[in-house]
Amino acid sequence: MIRFDSMNVTNFGKVIFIPKNHTVPSLPDMNLIVLKGDDKYHAICIDIEIDSIGDSVEDACNNLKKRLLLYTTQMVNNYDNNIKAAAEDIINMAYSQGDLKQYLFKRYIQAKQQYLLSKIAKKNKAKSRKEEIKNAFNRIFQIEPIRFDLTLAAGMA
């Protein structure tokens, strides 16, 4: 078994499933975390607990794309090309509970929190107490989408 607790989080984001044809099911966005071990990167789709390894973040993510496509194709084949049944099974797996999933999701949330806090600290260096309050007010009412470090959309199918 791989010891993920000794690895550092290098990236996080979402796996976005964009089917390009009718043979691959539409699935909800899922959580992605990339961990760095001694000499390899591990890209993990937390929700369905599929991972891959690579020499770089890009390699690990490209390998994960291939594994996810293989997984979804195999699931469709297991249900005799019944895409709806395959999608339901994958979604049920994504929303199931498990110790590894909970652990990885906790690491995901911590990485996201640290990223957002560091982004806020860099973006809003206050020169005075008045400016600090103004920056805090603007953050509360900010209507801007949060962009993640990494998404996997291209080449999913």
Side-chain angles (χ1 to χ4, degrees):
M1 184 171 154
I2 299 172
R3 290 195 40 125
F4 292 122
D5 57 339
S6 64
M7 298 180 191
N8 294 320
V9 176
T10 61
N11 291 83
F12 63 93
K14 298 289 180 184
V15 176
I16 303 170
F17 291 88
I18 304 173
K20 292 187 178 180
N21 58 51
H22 66 282
T23 62
V24 178
S26 294
L27 297 169
D29 296 351
M30 297 188 190
N31 299 298
L32 165 74
I33 191 168
V34 180
L35 304 172
K36 179 155 184 358
D38 293 332
D39 58 348
K40 299 284 185 184
Y41 290 86
H42 297 260
I44 307 163
C45 177
I46 298 170
D47 302 83
I48 52 179
E49 298 182 30
I50 293 179
D51 72 321
S52 66
I53 299 171
D55 293 327
S56 66
V57 172
E58 294 78 20
D59 287 343
C61 290
N62 285 333
N63 292 337
L64 182 63
K65 288 179 198 177
K66 292 173 189 170
R67 291 204 58 202
L68 288 169
L69 179 58
L70 212 76
Y71 172 75
T72 55
T73 303
Q74 185 61 49
M75 290 297 290
V76 170
N77 290 340
N78 289 349
Y79 284 97
D80 295 323
N81 294 321
N82 184 336
I83 294 173
K84 182 180 180 235
E88 287 173 0
D89 199 19
I90 294 169
I91 290 168
N92 286 335
M93 171 64 169
Y95 288 96
S96 67
Q97 298 294 316
D99 292 340
L100 178 61
K101 190 181 289 190
Q102 288 177 352
Y103 170 76
L104 290 171
F105 191 68
K106 181 179 177 183
R107 301 265 323 257
Y108 173 93
I109 293 296
Q110 289 169 342
K112 183 176 175 181
Q113 178 186 17
Q114 289 173 347
Y115 169 77
L116 292 173
L117 290 173
S118 68
K119 184 177 176 182
I120 289 169
K122 289 177 188 173
K123 187 175 180 180
N124 297 309
K125 294 283 184 187
K127 296 179 181 122
S128 67
R129 180 73 177 140
K130 182 179 178 181
E131 189 174 342
E132 189 176 303
I133 292 170
K134 181 181 171 187
N135 287 340
F137 182 81
N138 288 337
R139 282 194 310 271
I140 292 170
F141 295 100
Q142 181 177 4
I143 302 175
E144 178 184 321
I146 297 171
R147 292 185 177 91
F148 294 101
D149 290 337
L150 188 61
T151 57
L152 298 174
M156 278 302 300

